[in-house]
Amino acid sequence: MSTSAERLKLLIFPAIDADRLQRITAISPRLTVVNAETADLARTEIADADAFYGKITPELLSAAGQLRWIQSPTASLEHYLFPELIAHPATLTNMRGLFSDVIADHVLGYILMFARNLHLYRDAQWQRRWAPVGDANAKTDFVSSPGIETPIDRAHRHLSDCTMGVVGVGAIGAEIAHRGAAFGMSVLGVDPHPVTVPGIIEEAWPLDRLPELLRASDFVVIAAPHTPSSEGLFEAEMIAHMRPDSFLINIGRGAIVDLAALTEALQQNRIAGAALDVVETEPLPESHPLWTMPNVLITPHVAAASPRVPQRHLTTLLENVRRFVAGEELRNAVTKEEWC
């Protein structure tokens, strides 16, 4: 990347706060950091910049004369990449790997709610209604219970009897798999790349086995990024492979699931329920029927929300700046062509 005596220039645009800027400039006396407050200044300064952090545009990239590294401030790249950037020789890195445990916690929250009917009990609580799912009129019999299996028992799932299918076994998907396995679940995975989760997923299946995974899973978790190959992946025909007693969870990207097809499957009871942190159109329109379905959980794109994430974001940025100055391999390098 660079020699020990070489001076390097990092352009930041949009400008960042003083605290983060100070941490970056302290990395090396060889590094000149320009924190551009305006687009005009960014266009001027990028001419001799070696590295860039922030939102790159075609106009900025065309003015770059020696750019070798671009750091995206986000993990997702569907709204970041453009043809000139894909073709540019500069290394692109992103912020993947910051959210894995946070999002995995969110997913297990969904699963536990569905498995134990907590969403339905919360609704019943608002109505001050004592009504066990499976038999709303049942009264506890302390003599025969729990020696006899009841409809109430059958309405509450035992997670170690369930299978989780993970679509996209990257950093987030792997952590979700770990969480599921910790609850005793069997875990399957599909991914376009040959990946493993040691001790949990021996080898992720290729994408052409996705229908098989859907048929085998009680809980299907979409943890894939939005790429041309994943867009619209869950359309009506694909959703039809799911079982009537299975749940679909999407914490990947809304564009992966055809919302009309999912809504129809739910309305016709072809799947048991859905948990959505992301949807095709955000925010979900107030008139959409998903809002009022008791078997649907909707959260407003907050699965990655945590005080830990900004801390990790800065740590990743600082580490990559340090590596760039030292001429070391950068973290989270992206194969740009996979996103086009």
Side-chain angles (χ1 to χ4, degrees), residues 74-317:
T74 62
S76 59
L77 295 172
E78 65 269 22
H79 301 300
Y80 194 89
L81 281 165
F82 48 90
E84 295 87 349
L85 178 54
I86 293 168
H88 198 278
T91 298
L92 176 65
T93 57
N94 68 352
M95 286 290 180
R96 67 185 183 271
L98 309 184
F99 321 97
S100 304
D101 55 346
V102 178
I103 293 177
D105 288 348
H106 202 84
V107 168
L108 262 295
Y110 285 147
I111 290 174
L112 286 167
M113 288 188 74
F114 282 138
R116 306 305 302 172
N117 298 302
L118 301 183
H119 57 307
L120 302 179
Y121 290 127
R122 183 64 175 180
D123 291 345
Q125 179 181 333
W126 295 128
Q127 303 169 32
R128 296 176 170 82
R129 184 165 56 90
W130 186 283
V133 175
D135 187 351
N137 299 312
K139 293 189 172 24
T140 303
D141 179 353
F142 289 101
V143 176
S144 59
S145 181
I148 299 173
E149 183 181 295
T150 70
I152 297 173
D153 293 320
R154 290 189 288 274
H156 294 76
R157 302 194 189 200
H158 196 67
L159 284 188
S160 62
D161 294 333
C162 295
T163 296
M164 172 197 288
V166 181
V167 182
V169 191
I172 294 171
E175 193 60 40
I176 291 168
H178 279 288
R179 294 289 200 278
F183 277 85
M185 302 177 77
S186 299
V187 184
L188 303 173
V190 297
D191 197 275
H193 304 288
V195 295
T196 64
V197 182
I200 299 171
I201 298 176
E202 190 169 315
E203 184 173 350
W205 294 345
L207 280 178
D208 61 8
R209 293 185 67 180
L210 177 55
E212 184 181 349
L213 177 141
L214 300 182
R215 291 189 291 269
S217 299
D218 299 275
F219 298 94
V220 176
V221 183
I222 300 173
H226 177 190
T227 65
S229 62
S230 69
E231 184 170 333
L233 180 62
F234 276 74
E235 35 69 69
E237 185 176 347
M238 188 64 74
I239 294 171
H241 290 287
M242 294 179 63
R243 304 196 315 250
D245 63 345
S246 65
F247 295 87
L248 180 64
I249 296 169
N250 188 10
I251 49 78
R253 280 292 179 264
I256 297 173
V257 177
D258 182 326
L259 201 59
L262 174 62
T263 302
E264 184 178 352
L266 289 162
Q267 290 171 328
Q268 297 181 2
N269 298 314
R270 287 189 269 113
I271 65 173
L276 307 170
D277 189 58
V278 291
V279 291
E280 275 185 298
T281 301
E282 296 183 5
L284 185 68
E286 291 183 11
S287 61
H288 201 283
L290 287 178
W291 283 115
T292 57
M293 292 185 185
N295 57 341
V296 174
L297 299 173
I298 298 171
T299 52
H301 207 144
V302 294
S306 166
R308 297 286 187 185
V309 171
Q311 300 165 9
R312 295 170 180 174
H313 191 281
L314 178 58
T315 298
T316 299
L317 175 59

